[in-house]
Structures are given as C-alpha cells and as structure tokens.
Amino acid sequence: MSQEKLFGANKAFVMFAALVVILAGVKMSSDIIVPMLLALFIAIICNPLINYLAKFKVPKSLAIVIVFILIILVGMSVAGLVGQSLNDFSESLPEYKLLLNEKFVWLVDIAAKYNILLDKEQILSFFDPSKVIDVAANTLSGLGSVMANLFLIVLTAIFMLFEAPVVSKKVHLALADPQMKMQHIDRFLDSVNSYLAIKTLVSLGTGVFAGIFLWVLNVDYFVLWGVLAFILNYIPNIGSMIAAIPAVLLALVLQGPAIAGIVAIGYMTINTLMGNVVEPKFMGKGLGLSTLVVFLSLIFWGWLLGTVGMLLSVPLTMIVKIALEASNEGRWLAVLLGNIEEGKTS
C-alpha cells in the first residue's frame, strides 16, 4: 500500500473514531443539549415575528417580551388542559388495556370461524396490542419531562434573540471565508424558517381538524388526541399514523369496530389532505432531502436525542447537509442526502 493511500485510510479511521466519540458525548449530554436545541429553534421561529413588530416601531426588547408572553400564556393554557386529560387517561389506562386485549381475543375467535386457527396465548406473548396505546402516553410524557425545563428554554431563547444582530459580525471576524459561510447560514435560516412556519400551520390545522372530528364522534379525550396529532405531525412520514393509533384503539374498545373504522378513515382523509395537498402547495419543492434520508434521519435523531430529536429530525439533517455542502470533502455526501433532481442540478 502506498504512503498516500495509507495516510488516507488513517485519516478516514480517525474521522470515524472522532465521530463515534462525538455522538456518544451528545447522547450522554442530551439532557443539556435538547433544551438548547429547543431554545434555538424557538428563537428561529420567533425572529420573523419580532422583525414584523419592529416595522411598527416597536422596540426590539419590548417585541421579544410580547412574543414570549404570548407563547407562555398559550403554552400554559394548552399544558393545563392536556395535563388534566393525560392524568385522567393514565388512570383509566389499565382498564383500556384489558378491554383491548379482550377485543383482540374476539378477533382471534372471528378468524377461527373462517378456519384461520391462531393460538391466543402464543400470539399475545409475541404481540400485546395493549402496549401499542402506550406510544401516545410515552410521547407526551417525554415532551413533558423536557418542558419541565421551560424556564431555561425560554430564557436561553430570549438571550439568543438579543444576540442575533451581532452574530453576523462575529462570523465575519471568525471565519476565513465569511462571505461564503454567511451565504450558507442565510440559506439554512431561510430554509428552517420556511419549513417550521409551514409545518407549524399544517400541524395546527391537522390537530384542530382531528380534535373536532373526534368531538363529533364523541371519542373520549378528543383534546388530548388533537394535541397529539399536532405534535406528531412534525415527525415526517410516520408521525400522523402514530397519532391515529390511540384514538382508533380507544374508539374500538369503547364504541365498537364501526366507530373505530370511521375514526381511521377520518384520520386518513385529514392526513391525506393536509400532507399531500395543503403542505406541498406551500412547501414548494421541499427541502432538498430524499424521502429515504428523511425517514432514516427520524430514526437516527430519535435514537440520539429522544422524542425532541424525532420532532426536529428534518431541520437537524438540513444543518448537516448545508455544513457538508460548505466543505469540498463533504460535498459528495451532501449530494447523497439530497434528492435526485437536486443532485443533477447542483
């Protein structure tokens, strides 16, 4: 092996080892990193609204205070409403699990009438349908534990917004090629602002429509399931499907298969309209990430940072992609992360 190839192999090995050490450090310190990431993205989302208030001659400090007072008031109102529903649901969860297992056994008996013989005990040992409903409770509990640091998150986001005007000057002083780097930073901020704004509106519409639909059908805890639909809609591809599971199962055990089927069809209709009609209309060509990369990023960031990592998987992957595009060595990997149309035109 030539000396040049040996040097390249050693360099790749060192980079891989460094990446493993960094990821291990991030996972171990996720309790600190997750609130900081939430604060960063809250600041990014709030910055356009603060700039809008500035057009009406509102001082920046006052605009920041107004925006965050509104966020805290709305957040506390929703948290109080959802918290009560979540407590009631948690108390009734053992009863719901028992009823769900009984329904599952009933389905096995129906299959037996059509000569589809299944062993109830063996199936329940491999697949306990009552555990599916835990996904909703675990998701909301995970977010609740993060939001326990609400004061730290809000305070950090406020300081970030105050610091935002001087970041550009600091970057120009710190980087060897500031103009190029600033172009990538501006592109990232524009992409994330656009994505989060559109996704928030679409998710809000999804949650409202789901909640109203469940209220009309008299499904218990419709507010809780509406909020869950809003939150999980941030998770690409599978979030909306996960949000439908607890509502469908609850309708099944309390109101029967007919209502459960209507709930499932309703969720499919809402998600199809919002995800395939409304969102693409405003999102345009999208974010330049392939569908496979979006799904894999969901798994990766969820493993690394938990529930919040799943919610922020697309913006975080965008950061990585834009950083790779700024480097000659990493540009090939950025092309692999992008869609085929982008790869041809870039």
Side-chain angles (χ1 to χ4, degrees):
M1 182 181 292
S2 66
Q3 188 173 3
E4 183 177 347
K5 290 184 177 179
L6 183 62
F7 176 77
N10 289 337
K11 183 179 178 181
F13 177 77
V14 170
M15 290 177 64
F16 178 76
L19 179 62
V20 171
V21 172
I22 291 171
L23 292 178
V26 169
K27 189 167 180 62
M28 291 180 64
S29 57
S30 60
D31 290 341
I32 299 175
I33 293 175
V34 166
M36 297 299 106
L37 280 175
L38 278 176
L40 174 61
F41 284 100
I42 288 173
I44 292 173
I45 294 171
C46 292
N47 195 51
L49 183 56
I50 292 169
N51 292 334
Y52 177 77
L53 291 175
K55 295 179 180 179
F56 297 94
K57 307 300 181 183
V58 178
K60 183 166 186 175
S61 56
L62 180 60
I64 291 174
V65 171
I66 291 173
V67 169
F68 276 93
I69 286 177
L70 290 174
I71 290 175
I72 291 172
L73 289 176
V74 173
M76 290 178 65
S77 300
V78 174
L81 191 61
V82 172
Q84 183 60 46
S85 298
L86 187 58
N87 289 335
D88 295 341
F89 174 70
S90 298
E91 291 176 0
S92 304
L93 194 56
E95 179 184 352
Y96 293 151
K97 286 184 175 182
L98 183 61
L99 291 172
L100 186 59
N101 279 336
E102 291 177 359
K103 288 288 184 181
F104 186 75
V105 171
W106 173 73
L107 290 175
V108 173
D109 292 336
I110 292 293
K113 294 181 179 179
Y114 294 93
N115 295 324
I116 303 175
L117 302 179
L118 302 171
D119 189 334
K120 300 175 187 178
E121 288 74 17
Q122 187 174 9
I123 291 177
L124 288 173
S125 66
F126 287 111
F127 173 68
D128 184 359
S130 66
K131 293 187 181 299
V132 178
I133 207 168
D134 287 334
V135 173
N138 292 337
T139 300
L140 291 169
S141 299
L143 289 174
S145 63
V146 172
M147 296 311 292
N149 297 316
L150 181 62
F151 178 75
L152 173 63
I153 293 170
V154 170
L155 194 62
T156 305
I158 290 173
F159 282 123
M160 286 179 177
L161 287 168
F162 277 115
E163 188 76 10
V166 298
V167 170
S168 177
K169 296 178 182 178
K170 288 184 177 181
V171 171
H172 276 282
L173 293 173
L175 299 177
D177 188 8
Q179 195 62 38
M180 178 64 70
K181 295 296 189 290
M182 285 305 300
Q183 289 177 2
H184 286 287
I185 291 173
D186 290 341
R187 178 183 165 212
F188 159 70
L189 291 176
D190 290 342
S191 298
V192 172
N193 269 325
S194 174
Y195 171 77
L196 290 179
I198 295 170
K199 196 68 176 178
T200 298
L201 292 174
V202 172
S203 299
L204 182 61
T206 301
V208 169
F209 288 135
I212 293 174
F213 176 69
L214 296 175
W215 171 72
V216 170
L217 293 176
N218 199 29
V219 177
D220 288 352
Y221 311 111
F222 61 88
V223 174
L224 182 63
W225 308 136
V227 172
L228 187 69
F230 164 71
I231 293 172
L232 292 184
N233 198 63
Y234 282 95
I235 300 177
N237 300 326
I238 66 172
S240 299
M241 292 185 288
I242 295 174
I245 292 173
V248 172
L249 293 179
L250 192 62
L252 175 65
V253 299
L254 296 181
Q255 296 171 284
I259 298 298
I262 295 173
V263 171
I265 293 172
Y267 264 91
M268 289 176 59
T269 304
I270 292 171
N271 292 328
T272 300
L273 290 175
M274 300 302 291
N276 297 331
V277 178
V278 177
E279 186 173 321
K281 180 179 179 181
F282 293 99
M283 196 77 79
K285 295 182 179 179
L287 298 166
L289 297 175
S290 72
T291 304
L292 176 61
V293 168
V294 169
F295 181 73
L296 293 179
S297 69
L298 169 68
I299 298 173
F300 173 75
W301 292 112
W303 164 78
L304 191 65
L305 298 174
T307 304
V308 174
M310 296 173 71
L311 298 178
L312 300 178
S313 59
V314 170
L316 289 171
T317 306
M318 286 169 54
I319 294 175
V320 174
K321 182 173 180 289
I322 293 171
L324 290 170
E325 287 175 346
S327 167
N328 291 328
E329 294 83 1
R331 193 165 293 147
W332 64 273
L333 186 55
V335 173
L336 292 179
L337 293 177
N339 54 44
I340 189 168
E341 289 81 5
E342 186 182 9
K344 288 179 179 180
T345 57
S346 59

